[in-house]
């Protein structure tokens, strides 16, 4: 955990820094916003920023947004003045921590930010085989390609590899290639010089330089544009990068881990991914099995998530009933561990009584209190004698809403509704829809040009 503290390091803020240090955090300090931004641009990196509420938080948050620096920010100040806390939250801070600092509260904030633990929870033999291979290859500097369906825990595995490697005391830096627009991904990877393009207000160190000496994770690398794939291949071969707008190559030393939820061999055959880059990345391949193929992990993971979200919500930990476990084990888990986690989070909040029963297990697509969806009866085409029956069946299935509409209209509504369900997260929506992030972006660009409102990241479903 890397903690950056912004503000005058005196009194209570010094105490907060000491608490963080005792909890294992690496703490750095800048007394002004400008110095803090300079440190972040220079590749110092941070997993969390604690900022003195007396500093202009709104200006700091706007600078982070403009320069595409994504870091959770927690405000802190003396006392528990409600107005001060509200102003900090409205400015963009995720939390407000009162000073003088409480050791348990500081620890909780650090733990919440660092919840992507290096520990991999498993029991099934299928996962045990993957862990055994991971531990064998972790000490090397060879590139690793982690493959598996969405939600199987590819980033968790990457962090586990880093924790078991010779670089464990160095930085672990992650970049989601699918979450960054193509025209900005090069700058995120390799950095840029001041004035290299519109919005480049200062020199910015890229992820390769930030991870120098440590490990760089390129998440969902299959979504990277082929032009940029060629530049990445050169970096791997030459071990040096060129900043956008720069004139001097910069030497880098990183251990590269990449992930993909697609079949890269098929992507190579289809011309979407460079074969030479694929072989460079695929020195070792860790293929994570889907949750449905590691059934013994469902129970142990479910108990882990019950404990996690019970503690997070201040609820007594209740055991899962036998019927609840059976319901979990009977589900297909298309979204894998991520879907299971969301299901157990809901269950913890919905359960009543001394245990979590099957009625609290709201599987994907269900509403609270409803039974599992029954199989839909089939029906034949209408005949003169069966018009009423057919009409009632069509109404029951909701097909009347589709009749008379074009395929393009139905597709648009499906994409927009899925995006709302995913709170604007493009990657999750694309996975649910079964299309590439590139296809989804093209569709959304078309809808925007047509004047259709497109949900932005963080926008929830509306009733």
């Amino acid at each position: 955990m890397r903690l950056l503290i912004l503000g005058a390091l005196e009194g209570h803020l010094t105490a907060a820094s000491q608490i963080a240090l005792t909890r294992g955090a690496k703490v750095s300090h800048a007394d002004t916003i400008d110095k803090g931004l300079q440190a972040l641009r220079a590749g110092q990196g941070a997993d969390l920023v604690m900022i003195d509420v007396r500093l202009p938080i709104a200006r700091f948050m706007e600078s982070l947004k403009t320069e595409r620096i994504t870091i959770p920010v927690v405000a802190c100040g003396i006392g528990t003045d409600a107005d001060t806390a509200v102003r900090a939250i409205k400015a963009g801070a995720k939390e407000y921590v009162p000073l003088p600092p409480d050791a348990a509260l500081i620890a909780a904030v650090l733990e919440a930010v660092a919840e992507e633990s290096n520990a991999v929870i498993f029991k099934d033999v299928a996962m045990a085989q993957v862990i055994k291979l991971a531990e064998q290859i972790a000490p090397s500097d060879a590139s690793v390609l982690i493959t598996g369906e969405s939600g199987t825990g590819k980033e968790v595995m990457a962090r586990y590899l880093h924790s078991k490697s010779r670089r464990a005391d160095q930085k672990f830096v992650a970049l989601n290639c699918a979450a960054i627009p193509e025209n900005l991904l090069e700058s995120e990877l390799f950095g840029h010089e001041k004035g290299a393009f519109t919005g480049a207000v200062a020199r910015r160190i890229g992820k390769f330089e930030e991870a120098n000496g440590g490990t760089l994770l390129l998440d969902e690398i299959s979504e990277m544009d082929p032009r940029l794939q060629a530049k990445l291949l050169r970096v791997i071969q030459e071990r040096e990068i060129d900043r956008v707008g720069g004139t001097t190559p910069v030497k880098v030393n990183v251990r590269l881990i990449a992930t993909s939820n697609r079949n890269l061999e098929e992507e190579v055959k289809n011309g979407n991914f460079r074969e030479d880059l694929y072989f460079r990345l695929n020195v070792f391949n860790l293929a994570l099995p889907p949750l449905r193929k590691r059934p013994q992990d469902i129970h142990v993971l479910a108990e882990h998530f019950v404990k996690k979200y019970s503690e997070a919500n201040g609820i007594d930990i209740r055991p899962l009933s036998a019927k609840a476990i059976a319901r979990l084990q009977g589900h297909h888990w298309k979204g894998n561990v991520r879907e299971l986690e969301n299901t157990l989070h809901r269950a913890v909040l919905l359960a009543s009584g001394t245990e979590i029963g099957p009625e609290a297990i709201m599987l994907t697509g269900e509403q609270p209190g409803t039974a599992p969806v029954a199989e839909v009866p089939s029906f034949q085409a209408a005949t003169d004698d069966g018009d009423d029956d057919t009409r009632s069946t069509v109404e029951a299935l909701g097909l009347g809403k589709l009749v008379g509409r074009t395929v393009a209209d139905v597709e648009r509504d499906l994409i927009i509704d899925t995006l709302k369900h995913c709170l604007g997260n493009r990657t999750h929506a694309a996975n649910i829809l079964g299309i590439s992030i590139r296809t989804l972006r093209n569709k959304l660009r078309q809808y925007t040009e047509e004047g259709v409102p497109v949900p932005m990241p963080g926008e929830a479903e509306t009733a």
Side-chain angles (χ1 to χ4, degrees), residues 382-413:
T383 63
D384 291 340
D385 295 332
D387 283 346
D388 290 341
D389 290 341
T390 301
R391 189 177 299 111
S392 63
T393 305
V394 169
E395 290 173 355
L397 295 174
L399 298 179
K401 298 178 182 178
L402 305 180
V403 175
R405 302 184 63 196
T406 65
V407 171
D409 283 346
V410 174
E411 179 188 61
R412 181 194 62 218
D413 288 352

Side-chain angles (χ1 to χ4, degrees), residues 393-441:
T393 305
V394 169
E395 290 173 355
L397 295 174
L399 298 179
K401 298 178 182 178
L402 305 180
V403 175
R405 302 184 63 196
T406 65
V407 171
D409 283 346
V410 174
E411 179 188 61
R412 181 194 62 218
D413 288 352
L414 175 62
I415 289 175
I416 296 297
D417 288 348
T418 303
L419 196 59
K420 288 179 180 178
H421 174 75
C422 295
L423 306 183
N425 188 305
R426 271 63 174 161
T427 304
H428 291 177
N431 288 331
I432 291 174
L433 291 165
I435 59 178
S436 71
I437 190 71
R438 193 173 303 151
T439 299
L440 177 60
R441 284 183 181 144

Side-chain angles (χ1 to χ4, degrees), residues 86-394:
V86 168
R87 284 196 301 271
I89 298 299
K90 284 185 175 180
K94 287 187 173 295
E95 296 287 349
Y96 177 82
V97 177
L99 300 176
D102 175 81
L105 182 57
I106 297 293
V109 170
L110 295 176
E111 184 178 348
V113 174
E115 65 180 2
E116 58 279 90
S117 171
N118 293 332
V120 181
I121 298 170
F122 69 97
K123 186 178 180 181
D124 199 279
V125 65
M127 197 63 185
Q129 293 172 349
V130 177
I131 295 297
K132 181 180 179 180
L133 177 59
E135 291 177 344
Q136 285 181 289
I137 66 178
S140 77
D141 278 341
S143 299
V144 180
L145 178 63
I146 305 175
T147 55
E149 296 179 7
S150 178
T152 49
K154 295 187 288 294
E155 182 172 347
V156 173
M157 179 58 69
R159 291 179 181 274
Y160 182 78
L161 280 170
H162 174 72
S163 71
K164 298 292 184 179
S165 74
R166 291 177 294 180
R167 300 171 181 254
D169 59 343
Q170 300 296 319
K171 294 178 183 177
F172 176 92
V173 178
L175 178 66
N176 188 331
C177 299
I180 309 295
E182 292 173 7
N183 60 323
L184 298 177
L185 185 54
E186 182 176 0
S187 169
E188 290 293 324
L189 283 169
F190 309 131
H192 62 253
E193 297 291 346
K194 181 179 180 180
F197 52 84
T198 302
V201 296
R203 171 186 280 186
R204 168 91 178 273
I205 299 301
K207 298 302 184 185
F208 266 95
E209 284 186 84
E210 184 180 340
N212 195 30
T215 302
L216 176 61
L217 167 64
L218 297 181
D219 200 14
E220 301 303 346
I221 197 171
S222 52
E223 303 302 330
M224 183 180 289
D225 183 81
R227 178 188 64 84
L228 198 52
Q229 292 176 24
K231 293 190 175 184
L232 176 60
L233 179 63
R234 178 188 172 278
V235 171
I236 297 173
Q237 292 172 335
E238 304 297 330
R239 293 186 175 273
E240 63 181 26
I241 57 101
D242 294 304
R243 298 193 195 109
V244 178
T247 57
T248 305
V250 179
K251 290 291 184 181
V252 290
N253 173 23
V254 300
R255 202 268 182 89
L256 200 60
I257 300 177
T259 75
S260 177
N261 61 7
R262 298 184 179 277
N263 186 326
L264 282 187
E265 291 186 0
E266 289 296 324
E267 294 296 302
V268 168
K269 290 179 183 177
N270 295 332
N272 297 325
F273 202 82
R274 293 181 63 102
E275 184 177 40
D276 44 7
L277 178 58
Y278 170 67
F279 287 125
R280 281 283 182 175
L281 296 172
N282 195 31
V283 177
F284 287 105
N285 176 224
L286 288 179
L288 301 189
L291 191 56
R292 61 184 174 276
K293 292 187 177 180
R294 37 191 280 214
Q296 294 182 52
D297 285 350
I298 294 175
H299 191 177
V300 66
L301 283 167
E303 290 182 333
H304 166 73
F305 292 134
V306 166
K307 182 176 184 293
K308 172 182 176 179
Y309 288 108
S310 295
E311 292 175 349
N313 290 280
I315 299 172
D316 291 337
I317 299 175
R318 289 168 288 191
L320 287 157
S321 71
K323 290 184 178 180
I325 294 170
R327 182 151 157 73
L328 293 173
Q329 292 178 331
H331 188 55
H332 186 68
W333 300 115
K334 184 177 181 181
N336 293 292
V337 179
R338 186 182 297 120
E339 182 186 356
L340 177 65
E341 179 174 6
N342 293 339
T343 298
L344 269 300
H345 191 174
R346 289 192 294 262
V348 166
L349 300 177
L350 293 173
S352 58
T354 58
E355 62 180 7
I356 299 176
E359 70 283 351
I361 306 297
M362 190 177 77
L363 299 174
T364 303
E366 296 179 0
Q367 296 299 319
T370 61
V373 178
E375 184 178 348
V376 176
S378 61
F379 61 96
Q380 297 178 338
T383 63
D384 291 340
D385 295 332
D387 283 346
D388 290 341
D389 290 341
T390 301
R391 189 177 299 111
S392 63
T393 305
V394 169

Side-chain angles (χ1 to χ4, degrees), residues 15-86:
S17 173
Q18 292 301 318
I19 293 171
L21 284 168
T22 61
R23 298 287 177 167
K26 296 180 180 179
V27 181
S28 56
H29 168 250
D31 55 8
T32 67
I33 282 176
D34 290 335
K35 289 181 180 178
L37 289 170
Q38 185 178 353
L40 293 173
R41 293 178 189 130
Q44 174 179 304
D47 300 305
L48 174 68
V49 172
M50 288 187 68
I51 183 171
D52 191 325
V53 75
R54 294 173 294 181
L55 294 179
I57 298 176
R59 181 166 74 84
F60 178 64
M61 299 304 298
E62 185 61 31
S63 296
L64 292 181
K65 181 180 179 181
T66 300
E67 300 188 41
R68 304 180 310 281
I69 301 174
T70 305
I71 301 175
V73 176
V74 173
C76 52
I78 298 174
T80 55
D81 183 278
D83 291 337
T84 301
V86 168

